[in-house]
Amino acid sequence: QMQGGETQGEINPDLLTTDDQWILMKLDQAIQEIQEAFDQYKFNDVTSALYRLFWNEYCDWYVESSKSAFTGDNPALKANKLAVIDFVLSHMLRLFHPFIPFITEELWDGLGYKQDMPAGQGGDTISFAPWPKAFDDATQNYFGLSKEIADRTDAVHDLVTQIRNLRREYNIANSKPVRLILKPTAEGYLTAEDVQSMAKLMVADPLEQDINYQPDKGTPSARSSIGEVYMPLEGLIDLEAEKQRLEKEKEKIEKEIAKAEQRLNNPKFAEKAPKEVLEEHRGRLDNWKVKLAQTVEALERMQ
């Protein structure tokens, strides 16, 4: 059992947030992929799916987006989140068990699953716990899972990633709260929980929702199918100093590109260098070109 005593049988489907439904869909998808990979003895594919589910989907996105519920003032929502976490963790431990049995056994006991399950079904040892099965239609319907929810959540994550990239472009620390304006595609398209979760992930204070917002020319923005997020720069950075920094950065990148192109265009280097060295230099050149395009774009926005 997790703190607060919520167990997997107590998930209330009426209180599930979009993020909850998204992680349940990702769990279901991973269970299907893992079963198929096991059936074909593709153990590498099993571990890849496990890594993605636990590290990228569960830790990077779900746990982070759930923090707004834990710091909020809705005890029922918080309890339901814990029930979802309990449910997902119990499935993940069983999926990991063939690979890290001593660790999963210890966690199974420490997190209280051993006490929750009947003997012979995980009560004595995780080894006897039922192997996770992909959700049937009744379970999918019970949790209210749909492709639309998955797409919407992926679009939110896309916006968050774009805002993090904009922060990097303008040298704004990820931990610094900034004012952001969200212009949704349609009225009422995002729930209050969606917006709260986005604000947490974007480190926005505040994240204002305004469907009629008209940004000033050059305001940095992020776009996805659910709408646009704007990051007004007034009062956030010294525009003149930032322009100078970007100009210097542009010069430095242009020099690096010239250096890389000169080397690659040198017939002696091209003939003598091993194939992997050439590939590495070409990759480096491509990276510099991407950085140059981003820097030029950032400068154009400031004109």
Side-chain angles (χ1 to χ4, degrees):
Q1 261 172 290
M2 301 286 289
Q3 71 184 73
E6 286 72 30
T7 57
Q8 55 177 279
E10 291 171 356
I11 291 177
N12 179 348
D14 298 332
L15 290 176
L16 289 174
T17 66
T18 311
D19 291 311
D20 296 332
Q21 291 167 314
W22 178 82
I23 196 63
L24 289 167
M25 290 176 84
K26 292 298 177 185
L27 171 66
D28 182 42
Q29 183 188 333
I31 291 170
Q32 290 178 53
E33 283 179 29
I34 287 165
Q35 195 54 61
E36 279 171 30
F38 266 133
D39 291 345
Q40 295 165 31
Y41 300 99
K42 292 182 177 173
F43 302 119
N44 196 41
D45 290 357
V46 176
T47 53
S48 295
L50 277 171
Y51 183 89
R52 187 195 69 225
L53 172 67
F54 180 70
W55 195 248
N56 300 110
E57 294 162 351
Y58 179 74
C59 293
D60 276 359
W61 286 116
Y62 182 67
V63 172
E64 285 303 309
S65 62
S66 296
K67 285 178 181 174
S68 55
F70 294 128
T71 53
D73 50 11
N74 185 335
L77 194 66
K78 182 181 169 186
N80 211 52
K81 279 263 180 223
L82 284 169
V84 173
I85 286 172
D86 201 38
F87 179 84
V88 173
L89 276 177
S90 97
H91 281 72
M92 284 199 294
L93 285 177
R94 285 175 270 166
L95 293 168
F96 269 109
H97 187 62
F99 300 96
I100 46 170
F102 297 109
I103 295 170
T104 45
E105 188 70 70
E106 190 70 27
L107 289 170
W108 188 255
D109 187 18
L111 289 170
Y113 296 114
K114 202 169 173 177
Q115 289 83 346
D116 287 343
M117 304 293 270
Q121 286 185 41
D124 296 324
T125 165
I126 189 175
S127 303
F128 296 150
W131 181 251
K133 285 190 173 72
F135 300 165
D136 57 18
D137 289 347
T139 307
Q140 302 247 16
N141 292 336
Y142 180 73
F143 290 141
L145 309 184
S146 70
K147 186 177 183 300
E148 194 267 334
I149 282 166
D151 290 346
R152 198 167 76 191
T153 312
D154 287 337
V156 167
H157 294 171
D158 184 23
L159 277 178
V160 171
T161 303
Q162 288 182 58
I163 289 293
R164 287 174 181 171
N165 290 339
L166 280 178
R167 282 171 169 274
R168 260 199 300 278
E169 261 180 52
Y170 289 98
N171 227 13
I172 301 161
N174 269 334
S175 55
K176 180 183 167 73
V178 296
R179 173 180 172 243
L180 298 172
I181 295 106
L182 165 65
K183 189 176 182 177
T185 308
E187 200 78 67
Y189 185 53
L190 295 165
T191 66
E193 283 83 20
D194 287 335
V195 176
Q196 208 179 6
S197 154
M198 278 172 76
K200 196 84 179 165
L201 290 166
M202 291 175 179
V203 192
D205 188 16
L207 174 61
E208 298 167 19
Q209 206 176 167
D210 182 356
I211 200 161
N212 301 310
Y213 181 68
Q214 295 301 318
D216 291 339
K217 189 175 178 290
T219 303
S221 65
R223 287 177 180 78
S224 82
S225 58
I226 56 168
E228 297 164 352
V229 175
Y230 293 91
M231 185 172 79
L233 295 172
E234 297 82 9
L236 196 55
I237 59 172
D238 179 335
L239 288 174
E240 209 42 56
E242 185 59 18
K243 251 186 226 179
Q244 286 173 13
R245 186 189 74 80
L246 287 167
E247 287 288 2
K248 277 184 189 161
E249 184 71 12
K250 182 170 165 271
E251 277 174 37
K252 183 185 134 191
I253 294 169
E254 282 168 345
K255 277 179 190 163
E256 290 292 344
I257 288 174
K259 220 188 294 177
E261 283 179 338
Q262 194 180 359
R263 191 172 291 136
L264 285 165
N265 292 336
N266 180 339
K268 285 182 186 171
F269 178 74
E271 284 163 23
K272 290 180 182 174
K275 190 184 168 198
E276 58 271 19
V277 172
L278 280 173
E279 286 302 316
E280 190 193 328
H281 279 281
R282 284 192 192 112
R284 218 176 280 169
L285 177 60
D286 290 342
N287 287 340
W288 283 120
K289 283 181 175 173
V290 169
K291 279 182 187 166
L292 180 63
Q294 288 170 341
T295 309
V296 167
E297 199 181 320
L299 269 165
E300 282 170 356
R301 277 198 291 256
M302 298 178 86
Q303 301 310 321

